[in-house]
Amino acid sequence: REAESFKEQGNAYYAKKDYNEAYNYYTKAIDTCPNNASYYGNRAATLMMLGRFREALGDAQQSVRLDDTFVRGHLREGKCHLSLGNAMAASRCFQRVLELDHKNTQAQQELKNANTVLEYEKIAEVDFEKRDFRKVVFCMDRALEFAPACHRFKILKAECLALLGRYPEAQSVASDILRMDSTNADALYVRGLCLYYEDCIEKAVQFFVQALRMAPDHEKACLACRNAKALKAKKEDGNKAFKEGNYKLAYELYTEALGIDPNNIKTNAKLYCNRGTVNSKLRKLEEAIDDCTNAVKLDDTYIKAYLRRAQCYMDTEQYEDAVRDYEKVYQTEKTKEHKQLLKNAQVELKKSKRKDYYKILGVDKNASEDEIKKAYRKRALMHHPDRHSGASAEVQKEEEKKFKEVGEAFTILSDPKKKARYDSGQDLEEDGLNMGDFDANNIFKAFFGGPGGFSFEASGPGNFFFQFG
């Protein structure tokens, strides 16, 4: 009678949803009368409401050991198994209920739920092998609707989230498990995996080592720990070689590091950028651009890679591409330095779209006044229309055009103010200089001087000399 009184008080608290008090009274009933199946069944139901499914499973199993015909005991055992992710064991429990009561609709529905979970498990296993991690996450989310306390499903979901680069979500799932079970090797592995993929390699190794301490045969933690240590060592060796100016060795070490783990996107992005820096030092600019492109493909927020590639574009006079990269950088980080880099690239792009007067005269951009005069003298004589009077109309037209361009180039580059404006990328038309209106012959006359005329005369087949009048 005393045990029944405790049970009735427990039922009253259960009805009020005060499950902690209900648990206490059911425990008193069990202590008073330890061989009553219903007391264990009731305490199992209470523990289930408190989310303590593993303890509830023990009580449910004890209830059916005491009374194998206890339908609610089998139902609760099955529900605990299912909540903990053991769908096969759950199915056996629900089938036992249907043997006792073939019309039991709850058992029929729960058996369907268990089969659904088994199906999602099978699909997830296949998709994980295919590396279709999004599909695995979807399957685990569906399975967890029926098995909310299954750590195995949560760990698989967290691992796939990490492999998809969704690190905060993966960390959250793993941390929730570790709060309940600080020794869970799988959760420790996932925490380490997130840190590893976020390029926090040293911290990641600590978690992998901790996971291996809990489960020495944990294959994934063992492999990840080995990869993390190897990546860290190779990267550091590459950095050391670079600082010492041994660019060839640095290139080799970064390349070896890139072959360690293709899944580590952030670290590999940095390795590509580092190798791109090495290639730029070796003046292999196209290879440097390719490396930086690979870096931003892996991590499109990697500012350093955009800056490195933009500089390479500038060095190879691919100004439109440089402007695009600097715009991307400035949109992300609006600093004065980035603004100036963008402005410089825009100026160079603008300059590249007009005539290159240095190229026309065949001189360097740092050419002296004398070098510019000598170059003009040579090019003007080379392209003067009179020298090509016997050529075809097409050739005459082309040489006349070149003669005019040589005159333009000399007009600008021989005038310090105009040259300065030209070098800074400013529009010369703003000075009122319309290059389409000037006469190249007048510049030629002014340069060569002399009161009389001038002409080109033949001194033999294919030979000409210049004669002043």
Side-chain angles (χ1 to χ4, degrees), residues 376-390 395-396 398-404 406 439-445 448 454-456 464 466:
Y376 172 70
R377 179 183 292 109
K378 179 181 175 182
R379 295 294 172 111
L381 292 172
M382 185 187 300
H383 299 297
H384 194 284
D386 289 355
R387 183 171 187 174
H388 303 279
S389 58
V395 170
Q396 286 185 38
E398 181 63 25
E399 293 297 331
E400 189 175 343
K401 178 186 173 185
K402 289 179 180 178
F403 179 67
K404 185 177 180 181
V406 168
D439 189 338
N441 282 308
N442 289 337
I443 296 165
F444 186 87
K445 288 175 184 177
F448 284 102
F454 56 85
S455 64
F456 285 91
F464 292 85
F466 183 73

Side-chain angles (χ1 to χ4, degrees), residues 4-16 18-19 21-26 42 46:
E4 279 296 308
S5 173
F6 286 140
K7 175 191 169 184
E8 286 170 10
Q9 288 180 77
N11 289 346
Y13 280 113
Y14 188 94
K16 293 177 185 176
D18 188 345
Y19 301 118
E21 276 303 304
Y23 171 83
N24 290 334
Y25 278 98
Y26 290 139
N42 285 7
T46 303

